Every structure is written in C-alpha cells, then in structure tokens.
Amino acid sequence: MNKLWVKAGVVGSVSAAFGSILWSQQTSESKASRTSSPSAGDPNSPYELQLVQVLFRHGARTPLKSIPNVMEVQWVTTLLEPPPHTHISYAVTDLSGGPRPSAPMEDNYRKSVLTGGSFPGQLTTLGMQQLYELGKKLRQRYIEDSSFLSPAFSPAEVYVRSTNIWRTIESAKCLVAGLFQQKQTEIVPILTTEAEAEILYPNFHGCKLLKILGGHRWAQSSMLPDIAADLQSIQEALGIAAHQQVDFILIRDDMVARETHGLPCPPVLDTWRNKVEQRAVDMMCYVYNPSKRESLQLCVGPLLHILLVNIEDKLQRVLQEPNRRLFLYSVHDTTLIPCLMAMGIFDMRWPPYAADITLELYKHRQTKEAYVKVSYIGQDQLLPGCSGVYCPLQEFKQVLSAHSLSPDQYQSLCNSTEHLPK
C-alpha cells in the first residue's frame, strides 16, 4: 500500500499551495482580529511605546529530509516562485556591513535534492506570503494605527538581522516588503554572521559544552522508553524499516510541510497526528532540558542578553542609531521554543511557520517607569514573575536574568567542563 501511495500523482499541488495561501490569509486575519492588542499608539493609554523587538520564525518551507521510501512527494520548483509584491532591494552583509559570510549549513542543504527538484529547507511561495502577511500586521499596528514607525523603510529606524540561511533571509525580506509595502528608497540591509558565532539559534557547533550536552541528549531522546515504543509502532504502521534513521521530529517536519502545501499524506497519519506532535515536542523538551539552567542559558542566553541590552540602550539613549525603533530577528522554531521556555510561557505546542515573539518597551506617561509587554502569535502573555501583562522592567529583567548570558559569560560557560555528565 505504501508503494501505491508513494506513486500517487500530485497533480494540482501548485494550485493547492495557492489555495493554502488564501486559507492562511483568511484564518490569520480572523485570528488577528480576535487577539490583537490595543493600539500601540492609543493616546488614552497610560503607556507610551518606545521600542519594538520581533523574533519570528521563517515561513513554510520544503522539508529538511524526506522519510525514505514512504513519505516522498513531488517538491517541484514551481512551489518556490516569489510573489511579485515581495520583491525589494536588499543586501545581505555581515554584522559590520561587510560581505556575507560563508554559509556551511546552507551548503549542506544543497548537497541533496528532494523528489521534484527542490532542495531541502527552501522557503516556498506560501512561506513568502506568510511573512508578507506578518509584515502587513506589523504595518497595521505600528504605522497605520499608531504612526510609531515611518511609512517608508529607514535603516536608522529599523534593524534587520537573520541567521545565515536562505529561508530566514528571504523571510526577513518578505516581512519588510509587507511592513513597508515596497516603499523604500534605500537598499534594505539584512545582517548576519558566520556559523561559529551565531547566537540566533542554539549553536551546537559553536559552543563546545552545548555540543557535548546537546548531542548526548539528542542521542538519548529517541531511546526514552515511551518515545521509543511509539516510534517503533509508527515505523511499523508506515512500513519504515527498523534500521532506517527516523524520529518524531523528522516525521513531524515532513508531515507538516506536506499538509501545508496541499501534498498528500499517508492515511495512517490521520490517527497518529496528535501523537507525532506530542512526541516531537517531548523530544525537544528533553534536548533543551529546561529544568537545567545551564541548558537554556547555552541555547538562548546570548540572544536574551541582546534583547535586554537593546532595551537598556534605548532607555539610556545610547543606541548606536538613536532613532532606532524596531529590531527584527529572522530565526527558527529551534529559537522560539527555548525562548518561550526561558520566559516560562512555552505551551507545549510546536511554533507554526511565521510565529512571532514580540517585545514592546513602554514608558508610563506619568511616572516615566519602564514596562515590557510580550506577545506570542498576537496574544499578550503574562510571564511568571511579572505582576501584569505590562511587566515592570525590573521584574522583566529578573525573569530573563536566570538565563541571560553576556558574550563573555557565554564563552566561559561554553568552554567549561565542570557541567559535563559524569
């Protein structure tokens, strides 16, 4: 049966993808209307917006790997065509404005080709549209409703940083296109850095201790008794040979990618869907080990530090660009999950494509006290340790202080050996 399913035609997959775009727009717009915060520029609010920082996951993409002999579908290159309204003039640079660094992770993706001709991990037309829509939501909130941002892009006002992977770079580009509706006269700089120094995701290659601890837990995660038993059952149900290297994260990744783009799934996954989601999240929780402080520190400590530094620099008026009002960070699900864990608001659900964590810095109009408001996918969050959704800055700093690491602290911890498993 699996072979018959594999050979099934995928005629209409491109039109299905565009149908998904329309569905995505409709559902995201209706959700936004239900959950969006009060206007950021409401003159009747006691809080005045000072700074916005957005961490967002890239949009829908091709899978990172196809499950052999069972999950293959036609990932045709026509699924990757950029919508005209996402075109802008941009340049990818290093953090100092120099040439784009080499991208070994991207090069690794290009070493294999999916059935149909596209590469693993490529942003699709649907993914581009999802980020364009997120950009439009930000435009509504920060330009049309509040005039917090200028209507046209200004590099002095908006900072854009991405991991050095094409799907996040293109996602940043598409978000900027939606945010400013292609009304930029200047080239948009998208900053990135070399793989060894990246702190926008848990860097298992650039941090010695994280590589040892994380690699150890990755190897163990599929062998935990409950997960291993379920994995054996789903492999048998799908006809995957026992010796083939698969896990729930891989199965989930391929399943969600195909469903998002209207490509067929094995019928057996209908009954396994919730279990696949649950076990994939269980694996991530085991790998990131949120009960151990050092684990989350190594995963997101430097990124949390940057977010706090941006806030302090804005309040102290020492930002390199004094007019900067928006920091955009184009990242991954593996960034958002540990960030949510560190903030105490992870809901045990995998972040969807184009999910965002937004931090807004406010100043109270009367008392001049600073507050931070955190939202996740458009919903305001009450962080454990905060006395309200508008979290007093000192309380917010206390929440993040348990996991935030300065660059020196991060390097020291990465090179230490006292935390190695005995």
Side-chain angles (χ1 to χ4, degrees):
M1 178 177 288
N2 286 332
K3 290 183 179 178
L4 286 174
W5 179 85
V6 170
K7 294 179 181 177
V10 291
V11 177
S13 62
V14 175
S15 60
F18 281 97
S20 296
I21 291 176
L22 180 60
W23 178 86
S24 172
Q25 287 178 256
Q26 292 170 339
T27 55
S28 63
E29 286 168 3
S30 63
K31 181 177 180 181
S33 66
R34 294 196 307 271
T35 63
S36 57
S37 305
S39 170
D42 184 357
N44 297 318
S45 168
Y47 304 100
E48 183 178 6
L49 186 59
Q50 305 291 308
L51 184 72
V52 179
Q53 302 183 80
V54 186
L55 306 169
F56 55 93
R57 187 188 177 195
H58 57 76
R61 54 159 171 74
T62 59
L64 299 181
K65 187 183 291 185
S66 290
I67 299 178
N69 304 323
V70 176
M71 310 290 271
E72 291 180 0
V73 292
Q74 296 294 318
W75 290 101
V76 293
T77 55
T78 48
L79 289 170
L80 312 175
E81 295 172 358
H85 51 270
T86 64
H87 289 303
I88 63 170
S89 298
Y90 71 100
V92 183
T93 74
D94 66 14
L95 298 183
S96 301
R100 180 193 175 199
S102 61
M105 194 174 297
E106 188 69 41
D107 294 341
N108 195 50
Y109 290 136
R110 306 282 165 151
K111 290 178 181 177
S112 56
V113 180
L114 299 170
T115 304
S118 61
F119 295 111
Q122 284 189 280
L123 192 69
T124 61
T125 306
L126 172 56
M128 298 172 199
Q129 184 66 30
Q130 289 173 325
L131 268 297
Y132 182 83
E133 292 298 322
L134 179 58
K136 283 176 61 178
K137 289 181 191 176
L138 297 179
R139 179 179 180 83
Q140 181 73 44
R141 181 164 177 77
Y142 300 118
I143 295 177
E144 296 174 359
D145 290 349
S146 67
S147 300
F148 177 70
L149 296 174
S150 303
F153 175 82
S154 164
E157 195 173 71
V158 180
Y159 174 95
V160 188
R161 178 171 172 179
S162 172
T163 64
N164 194 15
I165 299 172
W166 268 119
R167 63 176 173 273
T168 48
I169 292 170
E170 290 182 308
S171 291
K173 177 204 77 166
C174 293
L175 183 146
V176 171
L179 176 55
F180 294 105
Q181 299 291 291
Q182 300 176 306
K183 294 178 181 176
Q184 82 276 350
T185 57
E186 303 184 63
I187 294 175
V188 176
I190 300 178
L191 280 61
T192 189
T193 193
E194 62 274 4
E196 296 78 17
E198 187 60 83
I199 50 86
L200 294 187
Y201 51 68
N203 195 335
F204 291 90
H205 297 288
C207 177
K208 179 181 176 182
L209 181 58
L210 185 59
K211 182 178 182 179
I212 295 171
L213 295 178
H216 179 69
R217 296 186 74 83
W218 268 114
Q220 288 183 321
S221 61
S222 289
M223 295 187 287
L224 299 173
D226 291 346
I227 293 178
D230 284 339
L231 184 59
Q232 181 180 350
S233 297
I234 195 172
Q235 284 191 239
E236 291 172 356
L238 289 169
I240 302 172
H243 69 273
Q244 290 176 322
Q245 295 294 311
V246 297
D247 59 39
F248 279 108
I249 293 175
L250 188 155
I251 294 171
R252 183 201 176 276
D253 184 74
D254 204 18
M255 178 181 75
V256 171
R258 285 182 285 103
E259 290 185 341
T260 302
H261 296 92
L263 296 169
C265 294
V268 69
L269 280 180
D270 291 343
T271 57
W272 274 93
R273 153 170 300 286
N274 291 338
K275 184 64 72 174
V276 169
E277 288 280 346
Q278 175 194 338
R279 291 308 188 198
V281 171
D282 289 345
M283 287 181 66
M284 292 301 277
C285 287
Y286 185 78
V287 171
Y288 289 146
N289 200 12
S291 63
K292 297 287 187 181
R293 180 183 177 190
E294 309 88 51
S295 181
L296 280 185
Q297 282 182 317
L298 292 170
C299 287
V300 293
L303 175 54
L304 298 180
H305 177 78
I306 284 178
L307 299 177
L308 288 172
V309 167
N310 290 342
I311 288 172
E312 287 291 350
D313 286 355
K314 182 66 177 181
L315 291 173
Q316 301 298 326
R317 300 184 179 181
V318 293
L319 277 175
Q320 188 173 5
E321 291 287 353
N323 294 324
R324 183 144 291 154
R325 292 188 158 215
L326 176 64
F327 287 88
L328 297 171
Y329 297 98
S330 187
V331 296
H332 305 264
D333 48 6
T334 51
T335 313
L336 298 189
I337 291 173
C339 275
L340 294 167
M341 288 177 175
M343 292 181 187
I345 54 174
F346 183 50
D347 58 5
M348 297 300 289
R349 297 180 180 181
W350 203 282
Y353 298 127
D356 71 286
I357 301 173
T358 296
L359 281 65
E360 295 179 330
L361 172 66
Y362 289 88
K363 190 177 284 188
H364 196 281
R365 296 181 194 273
Q366 268 71 50
T367 67
K368 305 304 179 184
E369 293 294 316
Y371 293 80
V372 177
K373 183 158 72 68
V374 176
S375 65
Y376 176 52
I377 320 181
Q379 300 222 29
D380 291 343
Q381 304 292 314
L382 177 58
L383 275 58
C386 284
S387 54
V389 169
Y390 286 87
C391 185
L393 179 59
Q394 291 307 313
E395 293 179 6
F396 180 76
K397 289 167 66 174
Q398 188 65 32
V399 170
L400 265 58
S401 66
H403 299 105
S404 173
L405 288 176
S406 70
D408 288 345
Q409 292 172 324
Y410 176 65
Q411 287 303 324
S412 177
L413 190 56
C414 281
N415 294 324
S416 69
T417 56
E418 61 189 78
H419 300 277
L420 294 179
K422 301 294 189 286

